[in-house]
Amino acid sequence: MDAVVVGAGMSGMYMLHKLRGMGLTVQVFEAGDGVGGTWYWNRYPGARVDVKSMDYSFSFDPELEQEWEWTEKYPPQEELRRYLNHVADRFDLRRDIQLETRVTEAGYQEDAQRWLVRTDRGDEVSAQYVVMATGCLSASKVPEVPGLEDFQGDWYHTGHWPEEGVDFTGQRLGVVGTGSSGVQAIPLLAHQAADLTVFQRTPNFVVPAHNHPIDPEHQRSVKANYAEHRRANRESAFGIAVPPPTKSALEASEEERNAYYARGWYDKDNQLVSLLAGYTDMITSKEANDTAAQYVRDRIAEIVKDPEVAAMLQPTDHPFGTKRPCLGTDYYETFNLPHVHLVNVRKTPIVEITPTGIRTSEREYEFDSIVFATGFDAMTGALTRIDIRGRDGVALADKWKEGPRTYLGVAVAGFPNLFTITGPGSPSVLSNMIVSIEQHVDWVADAIGALRTGGKATMEASAEAEDAWTRHVDEVGRTTLYPTANSWYMGSNVPGKPRVFLPYIGGVGPYRQKCDEVAANGYEGFVLSA
Ligand code: NA7
């Protein structure tokens, strides 16, 4: 093949479409038995995207974006999966996607200047280019507590939910984890379970989603100006255009600030970034950030009736936004239900899973089922779980032992012609993912096009460019509050993972400009060889 693409989520499908359009032969391997990536695997109750549908959709084909009708402000997983299946059919992608096949190895063969890719089904494919479209949040993680294999009930991870769904009616249910997945699932699980216990390690900032059917007039007006709407998103900081802030939160009066935060909290058209986007220093000044954090803590105290439970739900150990904030529907309200209990596992850690439940340092809880909403080995896990070996047989997992090193988050020195879509060191998870996916796929396709027209066989990030970019990602990260939190952005949720700020916080717009400059300067920082 000319190219192997690993993964048939949004990035893998679009990469296939682009490369095939350029006349390349492409083989896509996908572990799932359907396309859709994140929206294939995350089928837990309540799963929905927390970026508005009109922004969280492909922009590469004007007909596609005009013909698809979204039904809600934040589409549920089922609708996103339908959309991605539609994309697969519309662009006839399936014939080059091999499902139920996990890539296990990719090794660079220096003599041939090609990659040899192997799968768990025994495939062996030689390709000139390999594109890792493996997703940032796809390597799921069950806590490393002993005893799970002896649990006699059923257990589930939100990121690998059974296709047929699960009915917890009448059950005693334990849920571990209160990130976006837990926050979305808990209110719905509470409807089903007879008794629900939530094990919380870190309380999160949860803003009301106010999800509702999409206003047809709004959909029409966005579609009428879609090109402009998309351009503004691409040039914005987070891939969602909002008016740029002009002043510090500390320059605003308390009244002014609270009026602004109230819009972010109560307005039915609010969005995840609403509370954070109003002032210039929300992610750089703890004092400024604390004005919004306190606003949320006050709302929690208003909603949750038991003051002790309210206090447990109030985040105090990290600035607002430095761990991924969540959108919720009746999340805090759920803790007012008499059959819903909250356990602080920071205070009384889980020590083991027993045959009948979960034992903390304080006592044992008995369950019929356990749901782990415990997240992912984010950004690097999906890459390092594959045995990827570059020049001299160097394994990517070894190279990244002290943290990922990339050039622009898209290429790695020593791994020629291997590209990582939304890899570490790119805006990725700090952005509207689909904007970043399209930008990377377009850039990689252009780079491959340039290689082919220029008669070059390989492109490889130079060690100097990689060093400089890795330093830059770290330096920019350090100007913000992000490194002060224990978050998956910092690798802190995986024991033993180096503490490195994984995404790039320089902004989607400026980052795009940088990538474009690199290309315009003849792929500056890359070594192109014949
Ligand atoms: P997240 O955001 O990583 O959340 C995982 C949650 O599970 C979080 O509350 C963790 O607490 C908790 N967790 C993880 N391991 C443990 C152990 N061992 N014991 C107790 N609690 C634990 O994953 P999600 O699936 O919710 O969301 C992933 C992303 O998808 C989200 O950020 C959005 O970008 C969309 P912690 O905070 O680490 O203390």
Side-chain angles (χ1 to χ4, degrees):
M1 308 306 288
D2 291 319
V4 162
V5 174
V6 187
M10 286 179 167
S11 40
M13 288 204 291
Y14 181 38
M15 194 77 243
L16 166 61
H17 176 64
K18 280 292 276 201
L19 293 179
R20 213 163 61 178
M22 291 160 58
L24 272 70
T25 53
V26 186
Q27 175 67 60
V28 182
F29 290 115
E30 164 57 52
D33 72 0
V35 299
T38 283
W39 303 110
Y40 168 87
W41 293 106
N42 288 271
R43 310 179 192 119
Y44 60 85
R48 62 179 71 245
V49 66
D50 50 18
V51 173
K52 289 180 179 176
S53 50
M54 300 307 293
D55 298 307
Y56 193 80
S57 48
F58 280 123
S59 72
F60 69 81
D61 187 281
E63 282 177 21
L64 170 69
E65 69 181 3
Q66 290 296 329
E67 79 197 1
W68 186 266
E69 291 287 318
W70 294 105
T71 65
E72 296 181 46
K73 176 183 175 187
Y74 298 119
Q77 175 268 339
E78 300 85 346
E79 186 169 346
L80 286 158
R81 197 167 160 202
R82 248 190 340 270
Y83 171 70
L84 294 171
N85 273 299
H86 170 72
V87 171
D89 293 332
R90 194 185 197 290
F91 299 100
D92 188 21
L93 300 179
R94 295 186 202 274
R95 64 187 156 90
D96 291 323
I97 301 174
Q98 184 174 320
L99 298 172
E100 292 182 88
T101 309
R102 189 173 283 281
V103 168
T104 51
E105 288 173 43
Y108 186 64
Q109 301 176 306
E110 302 203 23
D111 296 345
Q113 294 179 305
R114 292 177 74 82
W115 286 88
L116 189 66
V117 177
R118 291 201 172 92
T119 76
D120 63 354
R121 297 260 291 241
D123 304 279
E124 224 180 68
V125 181
S126 157
Q128 192 173 4
Y129 314 103
V130 171
V131 181
M132 303 305 294
T134 37
C136 293
L137 295 159
S138 48
S140 61
K141 207 185 107 305
V142 172
E144 308 65 20
V145 277
L148 186 56
E149 59 290 352
D150 299 325
F151 180 58
Q152 285 163 4
D154 297 315
W155 66 270
Y156 307 90
H157 187 283
T158 46
H160 285 269
W161 203 258
E163 172 82 69
E164 63 283 4
V166 190
D167 183 6
F168 296 105
T169 304
Q171 291 196 12
R172 296 164 303 168
L173 180 62
V175 177
V176 184
T178 53
S180 300
S181 304
V183 163
Q184 289 186 332
I186 285 164
L188 294 170
L189 295 174
H191 278 302
Q192 291 183 7
D195 198 79
L196 176 70
T197 304
V198 175
F199 294 85
Q200 171 191 272
R201 189 162 66 182
T202 313
N204 251 312
F205 291 92
V206 182
V207 176
H210 299 298
N211 186 43
H212 53 76
I214 201 164
D215 171 8
E217 189 38 50
H218 171 69
Q219 179 145 214
R220 260 195 303 280
S221 81
V222 173
K223 284 184 176 179
N225 292 298
Y226 233 155
E228 174 54 25
H229 186 91
R230 302 292 200 183
R231 186 196 57 73
N233 280 352
R234 287 185 196 116
E235 291 175 5
S236 69
F238 294 100
I240 302 165
V242 285
T246 53
K247 68 172 170 189
S248 155
L250 304 172
E251 284 163 16
S253 69
E254 194 178 343
E255 203 183 3
E256 190 184 332
R257 269 196 315 257
N258 283 344
Y260 176 78
Y261 296 146
R263 281 199 297 281
W265 186 268
Y266 293 108
D267 190 294
K268 81 173 184 40
D269 292 318
N270 71 343
Q271 44 189 343
L272 192 58
V273 291
S274 292
L275 269 98
L276 285 168
Y279 301 106
T280 51
D281 47 358
M282 297 303 285
I283 58 163
T284 51
S285 153
K286 172 84 171 63
E287 208 186 338
N289 185 287
D290 214 39
T291 61
Q294 191 54 43
Y295 181 88
V296 177
R297 287 192 286 264
D298 290 346
R299 302 290 76 68
I300 297 170
E302 268 171 16
I303 298 169
V304 180
K305 292 192 184 122
D306 179 336
E308 250 176 66
V309 178
M312 274 163 78
L313 289 165
Q314 287 171 324
T316 50
D317 77 335
H318 65 280
F320 184 13
T322 56
K323 281 167 85 84
R324 177 61 153 69
C326 309
L327 283 184
T329 300
D330 295 336
Y331 179 66
Y332 293 122
E333 288 81 351
T334 298
F335 292 91
N336 289 332
L337 299 173
H339 69 294
V340 176
H341 322 283
L342 184 62
V343 175
N344 178 353
V345 299
R346 185 82 63 198
K347 219 160 125 197
T348 56
I350 296 174
V351 280
E352 64 169 339
I353 312 286
T354 66
T356 50
I358 292 180
R359 196 159 66 78
T360 67
S361 58
E362 188 184 43
R363 55 165 278 204
E364 185 172 349
Y365 298 82
E366 293 198 345
F367 298 121
D368 301 304
S369 301
I370 300 173
V371 169
F372 293 102
T374 43
F376 303 89
D377 181 349
M379 302 209 69
T380 53
L383 295 166
T384 54
R385 285 181 189 185
I386 300 173
D387 187 7
I388 303 174
R389 286 175 191 268
R391 284 190 196 284
D392 306 319
V394 172
L396 186 70
D398 287 336
K399 172 164 173 151
W400 284 3
K401 256 207 180 93
E402 307 300 321
R405 310 186 59 75
T406 69
Y407 182 35
L408 301 173
V410 77
V412 183
F415 296 75
N417 287 0
L418 179 102
F419 302 97
T420 51
I421 303 300
T422 63
S426 72
S428 58
V429 292
L430 293 175
S431 71
N432 174 358
M433 282 304 295
I434 201 156
V435 171
S436 292
I437 285 170
E438 287 194 323
Q439 185 254 335
H440 261 188
V441 167
D442 289 342
W443 191 92
V444 168
D446 287 349
I448 289 176
L451 285 180
R452 292 167 87 82
T453 50
K456 303 287 188 192
T458 62
M459 84 187 272
E460 179 182 352
S462 73
E464 297 73 34
E466 182 182 87
D467 283 347
W469 183 255
T470 304
R471 249 196 331 272
H472 174 65
V473 170
D474 181 60
E475 278 166 9
V476 180
R478 280 176 201 279
T479 65
T480 72
L481 298 169
Y482 283 99
T484 65
N486 286 322
S487 63
W488 58 255
Y489 297 139
M490 297 296 300
S492 324
N493 64 329
V494 178
K497 195 165 168 172
R499 196 175 163 79
V500 171
F501 185 51
L502 297 166
Y504 177 55
I505 185 64
V508 163
Y511 171 79
R512 170 186 297 269
Q513 223 172 11
K514 167 73 183 169
C515 291
D516 290 348
E517 276 164 26
V518 164
N521 293 335
Y523 293 93
E524 194 176 12
F526 286 91
V527 179
L528 311 186
S529 61

